[in-house]
Amino acid sequence: MTKRIAIAGKGGTGKTTLAALLIRYLTEEKKGNTILAVDADANANLNEALGLEVNETIGTILEDTKDPKAVPTGMTKDIFIEYRLSRAMVEEDDFDLVVMGSPQGPGCYCYPNDLLKNYLEKLSKNYDYMVIDNEAGLEHLSRRLLPTVDLLLVTSDSTARGVRSAGRVREIVDNVKIAVSKMGLIIGRSQEGVSKQLEQEVKKTGLELFGEVPNDPMVADYDLKGEALLKLPDDSEAVKATKEIFKSLSL
Ligand SMILES: Nc1ncnc2c1ncn2[C@@H]1O[C@H](COP(=O)(O)OP(=O)(O)O)[C@@H](O)[C@H]1O
Ligand SMILES: [Mg+2]
């Protein structure tokens, strides 16, 4: 069974960092398992955190194939889209990556919603783990592009407002009835002792606090230089803290 782990939260709260560190963890601690990373944030940059270049996103493919003339003769549009989608996959030794991107121009993924859903479903069956870097609105999840989520990690910065906003992600999940088996909060870039101060706010969200990722100058430095977070050393504070969190979640 594929384990689907989604990450959601307000922009700048450390989602992409957490996703990259989760992939780092899985490739090291769960060797031999197949992993699919999905960048489902319209403002995609998971590929950079993973040190990969991406030329095609699902959004650009759907945009390109809108024009009937783009479809080669003798091919149906659906088959052509599936073919293009299969080529958009970035394959690494330890994991694969697919980027949703955003539908350009007005509109949405409406027409190909079913096609996309089937494609992602078929695709996910080939993997032991699927890690999805979302945006706060949970667009792709709420359109049920992914059938179920086994674990939802909601990120927050270390402010009361941030924690409340994480609480709203929980409300979205409840309102649109996304099937999530387990969810909890991770406070990113935290200063020591902050979770104690935010205890009351966290309680109000009804989210279990899975842990904190300390502010780690190495993360900032790697991002500054555009280096892959996968290459962070074992003694990085963020690597150590996330390792403990992931271990405690028995991934
Ligand atoms: N634990 C951390 N320590 C230091 N800086 C961090 C940490 N987590 C994230 N950052 C920095 O915060 C910024 C936003 O993080 P990012 O993971 O891109 O958030 P999101 O994906 O939620 O928008 C980035 O510049 C990143 O380098
Ligand atoms: Mg991000």
Side-chain angles (χ1 to χ4, degrees):
M1 279 288 275
T2 312
K3 197 155 198 179
R4 297 186 174 90
I5 307 169
I7 300 169
K10 219 170 60 163
T13 53
K15 291 182 296 293
T16 301
T17 304
L18 189 65
L21 292 175
L22 175 54
I23 288 157
R24 185 190 190 283
Y25 174 84
L26 293 174
T27 55
E28 288 197 346
E29 304 290 320
K30 303 281 170 183
K31 273 203 181 81
N33 283 281
T34 48
I35 303 161
L36 175 66
V38 180
D39 191 340
D41 191 339
N43 187 10
N45 58 7
L46 179 61
N47 65 300
E48 287 166 27
L50 297 172
L52 303 176
E53 216 171 285
V54 171
N55 301 316
E56 284 215 284
T57 71
I58 290 180
T60 57
I61 292 170
L62 298 181
E63 188 62 29
D64 287 355
T65 49
K66 254 187 198 160
D67 181 358
K69 284 199 283 280
V71 181
T73 42
M75 235 190 214
T76 68
K77 186 172 178 176
D78 284 6
I79 289 178
F80 182 55
I81 292 179
E82 281 204 38
Y83 160 74
R84 290 277 304 266
L85 289 175
S86 69
R87 288 205 331 179
M89 176 79 69
V90 182
E91 291 172 353
E92 287 292 284
D93 288 344
D94 295 343
F95 64 91
D96 295 342
L97 168 72
V98 65
V99 180
M100 302 293 289
S102 60
Q104 268 119 50
C108 58
Y109 294 104
C110 301
Y111 148 69
N113 217 25
D114 278 347
L115 186 142
L116 210 50
K117 196 166 139 180
N118 292 337
Y119 170 73
L120 286 173
E121 183 141 12
K122 251 198 284 177
L123 191 65
S124 75
K125 289 205 174 105
N126 300 332
Y127 296 88
D128 299 308
Y129 290 94
M130 194 169 178
V131 175
I132 309 135
D133 183 6
N134 286 277
E135 75 258 84
L138 294 173
E139 264 287 292
H140 299 290
L141 292 185
S142 57
R143 264 185 293 113
R144 298 183 181 281
L145 282 176
L146 298 159
T148 54
V149 174
D150 298 289
L151 177 65
L152 178 62
L153 306 173
V154 185
T155 54
S156 165
D157 55 21
S158 47
T159 66
R161 228 185 299 144
V163 171
R164 276 179 227 139
S165 158
R168 282 194 290 276
V169 173
R170 210 203 112 186
E171 285 165 22
I172 296 176
V173 169
D174 290 345
N175 290 341
V176 300
K177 299 196 169 52
I178 303 166
V180 176
S181 309
K182 186 178 163 106
M183 70 188 287
L185 178 70
I186 294 182
I187 297 177
R189 289 166 90 174
S190 73
Q191 307 294 340
E192 225 181 306
V194 101
S195 65
K196 190 91 204 119
Q197 287 177 55
L198 289 170
E199 210 171 57
Q200 285 309 314
E201 285 299 335
V202 173
K203 215 176 215 167
K204 281 189 231 160
T205 65
L207 287 166
E208 180 186 343
L209 181 63
F210 286 157
E212 291 173 52
V213 185
N215 186 52
D216 182 349
M218 260 191 225
V219 170
D221 188 49
Y222 272 52
D223 272 342
L224 181 72
K225 293 181 181 143
E227 279 193 59
L229 298 178
L230 291 179
K231 292 190 185 142
L232 278 168
D234 291 343
D235 64 354
S236 126
E237 291 302 325
V239 168
K240 285 194 286 184
T242 48
K243 191 170 172 177
E244 285 313 307
I245 295 172
F246 299 144
K247 255 196 196 145
S248 74
L249 292 170
S250 314
L251 301 182

